[in-house]
Amino acid sequence: MKDVALHLANYFFYFFHTVLIVFNLLGWLYPRTRKLNLISLLATFGSWGLLGFWKGWGYCFLTDWHYQVLRALGEKGMPSSYIAFLIEKITGLSLDPELVNTLTVSLALLALVFSVWVNFRKKRR
């Protein structure tokens, strides 16, 4: 029964975390999701920075929880970056962690700029 719960948790994290990443990057595009996207991005940066103050820069509690599940399922040698982990799982490519981290932060900052812009710009009539 424990294995079933671990596998279900694993699938949940793959799905939820991946959807959240895509939402963080693109949720600002849709007027109905713009405020939620800004909140989600701020929470993400809060996790990376505020929680990262204690746990290490870029700390993501979802990654931590998913990695706990994966370790319990026997996974070993996972990169510290969840994005690098996904890229490796999907494509089999093991990319330079610094490159992945730089792209991750750059795209997240770009999404935050767009999200702030679309949420606070004056609407023309």
Side-chain angles (χ1 to χ4, degrees):
M1 187 66 168
K2 182 180 177 185
D3 280 351
V4 172
L6 286 172
H7 284 288
L8 287 173
N10 184 35
Y11 292 128
F12 167 78
F13 280 118
Y14 273 126
F15 176 78
F16 181 76
H17 205 175
T18 304
V19 167
L20 180 63
I21 291 165
V22 172
F23 178 72
N24 275 347
L25 293 174
L26 302 175
W28 57 271
L29 288 168
Y30 307 99
R32 288 184 147 177
T33 61
R34 287 178 177 162
K35 286 192 185 358
L36 183 59
N37 173 256
L38 182 58
I39 292 166
S40 179
L41 282 164
L42 292 173
T44 298
F45 279 100
S47 178
W48 289 355
L50 296 174
L51 293 176
F53 183 75
W54 291 278
K55 300 276 194 170
W57 164 249
Y59 175 77
C60 175
F61 60 90
L62 289 175
T63 300
D64 191 9
W65 294 344
H66 192 181
Y67 277 13
Q68 288 176 35
V69 169
L70 288 168
R71 279 191 290 276
L73 289 170
E75 186 86 29
K76 292 178 179 27
M78 297 169 288
S80 62
S81 164
Y82 191 75
I83 302 295
F85 172 75
L86 282 179
I87 291 169
E88 193 172 324
K89 281 293 178 191
I90 293 168
T91 68
L93 297 173
S94 182
L95 300 178
D96 175 44
E98 287 302 314
L99 173 65
V100 173
N101 288 340
T102 299
L103 286 173
T104 298
V105 171
S106 298
L107 290 173
L109 282 171
L110 190 61
L112 180 63
V113 167
F114 288 142
S115 188
V116 167
W117 182 68
V118 297
N119 274 288
F120 293 104
R121 70 186 164 134
K122 292 194 183 237
K123 294 182 174 112
R124 297 176 196 208
R125 294 182 190 242

